[in-house]
Amino acid sequence: MSDVSKIMFVMRKAPYGTIYSFEGLETVLIMGAYEQDVSLLFVDDGVYSIKKGTDTTPLGIKNFSPTFRVLEGYDIEKLYIDKESMDSRGLTLDDFVVEPEVLDKEQIAKLMEEQDVLFPF
Amino acid sequence: MSDVSKIMFVMRKAPYGTIYSFEGLETVLIMGAYEQDVSLLFVDDGVYSIKKGTDTTPLGIKNFSPTFRVLEGYDIEKLYIDKESMDSRGLTLDDFVVEPEVLDKEQIAKLMEEQDVLFPF
Amino acid sequence: MKFAVLVQEGPYHHQSSDSAYQFVTAAMDKRHEIIGVFFYHDGVINSSKLADIQADDRNITKRWSEVGEKGVDLVVCIAAAKRRGINDDVLAPGFRISGLGQLTEMAIKSDRLVTFGA
Amino acid sequence: MKFAVLVQEGPYHHQSSDSAYQFVTAAMDKRHEIIGVFFYHDGVINSSKLADIQADDRNITKRWSEVGEKGVDLVVCIAAAKRRGINDDVLAPGFRISGLGQLTEMAIKSDRLVTFGA
Amino acid sequence: MLHLVNKSPFASTSLESCLKFATKGAPILLFEDGIYGAMSGTALEAKIKDVMKDHPVYALKEDLMARGIDVVIDGVKTIDYPGFVELVERHKTCTWS
Amino acid sequence: MLHLVNKSPFASTSLESCLKFATKGAPILLFEDGIYGAMSGTALEAKIKDVMKDHPVYALKEDLMARGIDVVIDGVKTIDYPGFVELVERHKTCTWS
């Protein structure tokens, strides 16, 4: 194993309904400081985590979706999204607060196989 | 409203993977003492709650499925099960620790409409 | 009308407790009587005064305590509480620990019982 | 091999913690090194010594403490713990509260990291 | 009977179960992650339009806002928490979580 | 990569997601409520048999026992926790919960 681990966060859950996405992001921000090869993959309902235009004021819940924008400042620049998950939910790149690379399922499968660790959130 | 409330427990979740079914049963046993019109409906993965032959010894988890048998002693005799949920899971009445009345979805819909309170577990 | 509410999930982890709170306060604004909120399953964790919440987030337990201050009965199921390490020593103001009989009473006495769960 | 385990769910409510425990003990029986078990999300509730479990059920927290006695590092995420009312005062033997950096270390140092979640 | 659905129809079969047992005319409220079913332009839009032939479908405004969903399917009624309470005044409830 | 699926395929789309991204030949372990997919005679049997053309499918014995499932689909391999550990020795893991 090389000195640098390939760590991928697989964001699969919708935000706000459950905490996985939010606490997952907290983990990503910490790991960003460890100089590993960190990437984020948005699949299934996880694609909603980076939806633009979220306003949680009426619910009093912390609006963390825009926080995904700070990832770049943490040297986490590898963001991927599953095309089919976007398409079936009627979402396009314009809908997101960040600009992940759009991959098909074969590309994602390959990328996952290359990882040392996968964290599902 | 009459003096007696019609209360139906809608058992929808699989046992052991989550606690809903077990803690739901605990509620049923308590409510049985209140002389209300209590019934139990098994739908979706809830039908697995009354599967015969469960053995949780290797996991050390409490095996509560056989406890459904004591309901009769608590004067809870109205047990219903959704035919389609059974069929799609390859289960027949022989598979269960109790003998619920088999209903189709129209009959269940009607029964649900007649209830004062529905508790999902 | 007489409303009762059942909360089945813990705070922050699921939105159920938030939704129940929003529903209860909206119902109180409409002058409905909330005869009780029953916390079951992981819902019992809503009652812990030990929760230490950051200033930029809502404080779910405190919000419920405020609802309790307005006279709403906040009942924590004893059986579920024991499994999750909730007891009288950690109970926030306004909550009380009691049995499933209380949920039965709410079911019988309310005009509407609404379940918030996951 | 060096194994690490991530537990994402609370005890009793979901089976995740049970499964993680069975996996960890089976791996130890096979002489694998468990470099750590990290408790995140509601998983932090596994660490509460306040849990009061009936004699006919397994005691999940106590089982983990026994794993800890065998030298396994049981790390409870501080951010997640605060939200759920878990702090040093309620921590069962063998657990310690620390940051997400510990999970990062486990990810880097382990040969296998297995997540048990819901 | 008012049916409450709080799970994403992309992740869970809760909405399916609800539809199986909801009598004709019974209203359905989508809230929490359930509101993703109300969004316009998804693979589920045709299905939800079908549902609306038999059921009034509501989506909770506060949850739509929190998730950044601006445009709901034609015919889905957006209501806020006071509207949710009014629905409960008129109907007993069944939760499909 | 070993794929771990712990959700009932009747309630959740987790198994679907797993199948979408699992490369040919990658083993899949069904455990917890995931084992319901391994039961013989269900509406999903044909689908699982299809899956087995591309993937070895395992079901955790302790979870089958706890749920009273005696008969699994032909070709599904039943393993216990030591067997689970052996699979993890051979593969990195991905959890679909």
Side-chain angles (χ1 to χ4, degrees), chain F residues 27-80:
Chain F
I28 296 170
L29 171 61
L30 305 175
F31 74 119
E32 296 182 10
D33 290 344
I35 60 98
Y36 291 119
M39 186 179 162
S40 174
T42 79
L44 291 172
E45 174 157 352
K47 187 199 174 78
I48 301 293
K49 282 187 166 160
D50 245 22
V51 170
M52 285 192 284
K53 291 176 189 162
D54 285 334
H55 304 277
V57 174
Y58 299 86
L60 195 62
K61 187 185 165 200
E62 288 85 345
D63 282 328
L64 289 168
M65 286 174 67
R67 287 154 181 87
I69 309 298
D70 310 311
V71 188
V72 297
I73 298 167
D74 258 356
V76 172
K77 299 171 188 66
T78 299
I79 57 167
D80 56 11

Side-chain angles (χ1 to χ4, degrees), chain E residues 27-84:
Chain E
I28 297 170
L29 172 61
L30 305 175
F31 74 120
E32 296 180 10
D33 290 345
I35 61 99
Y36 291 119
M39 187 181 164
S40 175
T42 78
L44 291 172
E45 175 157 350
K47 188 200 173 79
I48 301 293
K49 282 187 166 161
D50 245 22
V51 170
M52 285 194 283
K53 291 176 188 162
D54 285 334
H55 303 277
V57 174
Y58 299 85
L60 195 62
K61 188 184 164 200
E62 288 85 346
D63 283 326
L64 290 167
M65 287 174 66
R67 289 156 181 83
I69 309 298
D70 310 312
V71 187
V72 298
I73 298 168
D74 258 358
V76 171
K77 298 171 190 68
T78 299
I79 57 167
D80 56 11
Y81 268 100
F84 183 178

Side-chain angles (χ1 to χ4, degrees), chain A residues 13 20 22-23 26 34 120, chain D residues 9 40-41 83-84 101 118:
Chain A
K13 307 277 175 93
Y20 302 101
F22 171 58
E23 291 193 330
E26 289 193 324
Y34 282 74
Chain D
E9 301 298 325
Y40 199 31
H41 308 309
R83 283 188 193 104
R84 282 117 173 145

Side-chain angles (χ1 to χ4, degrees), chain A residues 55-67:
Chain A
D55 177 4
T56 57
T57 323
L59 296 178
I61 298 178
K62 210 151 143 175
N63 184 2
F64 66 92
S65 302
T67 309

